[in-house]
Amino acid sequence: MAGNSFGQLFRITTFGESHGEAIGVIIDGCPAGLQVDLDYIQGELDKRKPGQSKITTQRKESDTVKIISGVFEDKTTGTPIAMLIPNEDQRSKDYSHNVDVFRPSHADYTYQTKYGIRDHRGGGRSSARETAARVAAGALAKLLLKTQGIEIVAHVSSVGKINAPNVFINDPMEFIEEREKNIVRCADPATAEEMIEFIDSVRKDGDTVGGKISCYVKNCPVGLGEPVFDKLHADLGKAMLSINAVHGFEFGSGFDGSEMRGSEHNDIFVKSHLGDIQTITNFSGGIQGGISNGMPIEFKVAFKPVATIMKNQATIDSEGNAAEISGKGRHDPCVVPRAVPIVEAMAALVLADHWLRNRNARLI
C-alpha cells in the first residue's frame, strides 16, 4: 500500500490501524538541535482525542504519545524520530455486523475491490484514527516553525448552515484561549453556543452534520512555495484533502473570488510604516504565484457529515445481495471540533517542509 508518506525535506510516514495494537509516525528530516516540548505535543493530541465532550465520539483513548527515537536530552538529533501512540479502547466487537456488508459512504467497497482484503474493524487504515499520528508529527513541525515566529491557528467557522462572523487575530495565543473556552472550538462565543445546541440535536436524532474550519498562518515570511507543481497552495490543498471527511479546500477569496472583477480582486501593494511591502487587501490569501507574499495565509477546509450514523440503512453485501446495515456502535455527530488540530498539524507539516526548502533556495 503506497501513499503513507508526506513531504520532501520534512517527511513523515504514518503506520498502524484503528483497531491494531498502536498507531505511529516516523519523521525524517527534522533538523538537529530543536528543543522538544513533549507536554506541548501531548497537548495537541489531547485536542484531537475522542471522548472529549457530548458532541464527539465516546471512544476512550488517552492518545499518550511516546517518542522512541531521534531525541536525546529533549533535543532532536537529526536522525529519524519515531512516535508511538497505543490503542486502548478498540471494542472491535462493535463492528462484527460489518464483516460482509458495505457501509454507505465508507471505504469498505473501494478497499475490498482494490486490495481483495479489508479490515472491517473501524476501517483499518481508512479510519480517521490515523490522524492522531499526523497531529503528533505536526506538533513537532509547529515547534520548528515557532523558532521562526510562524504561528498557525484555526477554528470552527461553520457547522451545517450556522456561520461564524469573520474573526480578527491579533494575538494567536489569545485566539486559541478564546477558542478553547467552548467544546465546538469556535472563536465566536455566541455562534459557538448555537453550534453546540444544533450538534446536540443532530446527535439525539442519531445523525451527523458537517462544517468548515478556517485556518490562518501568521508571520509567514515571503518566499515559501515552489513553481510549478509544488506551489504552496497546491501542497496545502493536497494536505487538507488527505484528511478524512474533507470534501473542499479554498484559500483567500476562494470560490467567492470567481464572482468578482479583477479590479475588485487585485491586491494592491503598499509600503507599510515599518518599511516592508504589504497589500491593502488579501484576496490572494497570502499566496501569489504559488509563493507566500508575507501576508497572513488564510484558507478554509470543508468537512462532510461523517458516514457512521445511528440509523439503519439499505446497502449490499459482498456478494451483491440487498442487505441492511444497522445503526449501532459509537457515534461522532460532528467531527469538525476534533479536526481543528488536524488541520493545524497538516498546515504545519507543509510549511515546515517549504521552510526547509526555502532555506536552501539561495547560494548566498
Side-chain angles (χ1 to χ4, degrees):
M1 180 187 289
N4 296 288
S5 300
F6 183 82
Q8 294 187 22
L9 297 188
F10 195 102
R11 186 169 179 82
I12 71 165
T13 300
T14 69
F15 60 88
E17 293 80 36
S18 173
H19 286 239
E21 186 174 335
I23 57 174
V25 61
I26 305 294
I27 305 164
D28 200 8
C30 183
L34 175 65
Q35 188 74 36
V36 177
D37 185 342
L38 188 58
D39 289 338
Y40 175 78
I41 295 172
Q42 187 61 58
E44 293 299 288
L45 281 164
D46 290 346
K47 295 170 186 173
R48 193 222 70 97
K49 70 180 181 181
Q52 295 181 42
S53 70
K54 65 181 180 180
I55 62 170
T56 66
T57 176
Q58 295 307 296
R59 178 171 176 169
K60 300 297 182 183
E61 296 284 354
S62 68
D63 279 355
T64 302
V65 64
K66 183 178 182 181
I67 300 177
I68 59 178
S69 71
V71 176
F72 178 66
E73 295 182 341
D74 297 328
K75 289 186 178 182
T76 57
T77 62
T79 58
I81 299 165
M83 296 183 179
L84 195 68
I85 305 169
N87 289 326
E88 301 166 343
D89 185 27
Q90 294 96 322
R91 283 172 54 177
S92 300
K93 64 181 183 297
D94 285 354
Y95 299 88
S96 59
H97 61 299
N98 292 338
V99 175
D100 295 317
V101 296
F102 298 134
R103 295 170 296 169
S105 287
H106 284 78
D108 298 345
Y109 171 69
T110 51
Y111 266 59
Q112 183 69 45
T113 302
K114 181 177 177 67
Y115 299 107
I117 187 173
R118 68 180 174 92
D119 187 345
H120 68 275
R121 306 166 303 165
R125 275 299 274 174
S126 70
S127 169
R129 177 87 186 119
E130 177 270 343
T131 59
R134 306 191 198 192
V135 172
L140 191 71
K142 279 187 176 182
L143 290 173
L144 176 62
L145 294 170
K146 284 177 183 291
T147 66
Q148 306 304 306
I150 303 171
E151 297 279 357
I152 301 170
V153 294
H155 82 127
V156 174
S157 54
S158 75
V159 169
K161 296 181 179 180
I162 302 171
N163 295 290
N166 291 331
V167 296
F168 177 76
I169 303 172
N170 184 33
D171 185 302
M173 289 306 300
E174 290 180 0
F175 178 83
I176 292 173
E177 288 175 4
E178 187 64 38
R179 178 195 76 189
E180 293 298 315
K181 289 179 180 178
N182 60 78
I183 58 177
V184 79
R185 292 202 168 90
C186 174
D188 183 71
T191 310
E193 289 302 315
E194 188 178 357
M195 289 175 173
I196 293 167
E197 184 177 348
F198 177 58
I199 294 171
D200 198 37
S201 70
V202 169
R203 178 187 66 82
K204 291 175 180 177
D205 195 36
D207 218 330
T208 60
V209 66
K212 298 186 186 75
I213 291 174
S214 294
C215 189
Y216 311 88
V217 183
K218 304 285 286 184
N219 307 320
C220 183
V222 180
L224 302 194
E226 308 286 340
V228 166
F229 298 109
D230 291 343
K231 293 177 179 179
L232 186 56
H233 60 278
D235 281 353
L236 284 169
K238 179 179 180 179
M240 299 307 144
L241 290 167
S242 75
I243 300 171
N244 303 61
V246 169
H247 272 215
F249 169 80
E250 61 178 12
F251 74 101
S253 62
F255 290 104
D256 289 342
S258 67
E259 301 174 2
M260 301 171 66
R261 297 188 179 192
S263 56
E264 300 173 288
H265 193 272
N266 285 347
D267 293 320
I268 305 302
F269 289 107
V270 295
K271 181 175 275 191
S272 75
H273 67 282
L274 297 176
D276 59 332
I277 294 176
Q278 297 181 352
T279 58
I280 297 175
T281 53
N282 194 23
F283 294 121
S284 299
I287 303 170
Q288 293 171 327
I291 298 172
S292 60
N293 66 3
M295 295 293 288
I297 294 173
E298 302 177 357
F299 61 86
K300 290 182 180 179
V301 187
F303 288 75
K304 68 166 186 172
V306 293
T308 299
I309 63 175
M310 295 297 101
K311 296 175 181 286
N312 291 354
Q313 299 175 87
T315 185
I316 61 170
D317 63 21
S318 56
E319 299 299 322
N321 302 310
E324 184 178 72
I325 187 76
S326 59
K328 65 179 183 179
R330 288 175 289 210
H331 176 217
D332 201 340
C334 184
V335 74
V336 186
R338 290 201 301 128
V340 168
I342 306 170
V343 168
E344 290 182 353
M346 292 308 297
L349 291 170
V350 171
L351 289 161
D353 189 51
H354 276 281
W355 179 77
L356 288 171
R357 288 196 242 177
N358 192 61
R359 191 173 63 165
N360 299 322
R362 296 188 181 187
L363 294 177
I364 57 173

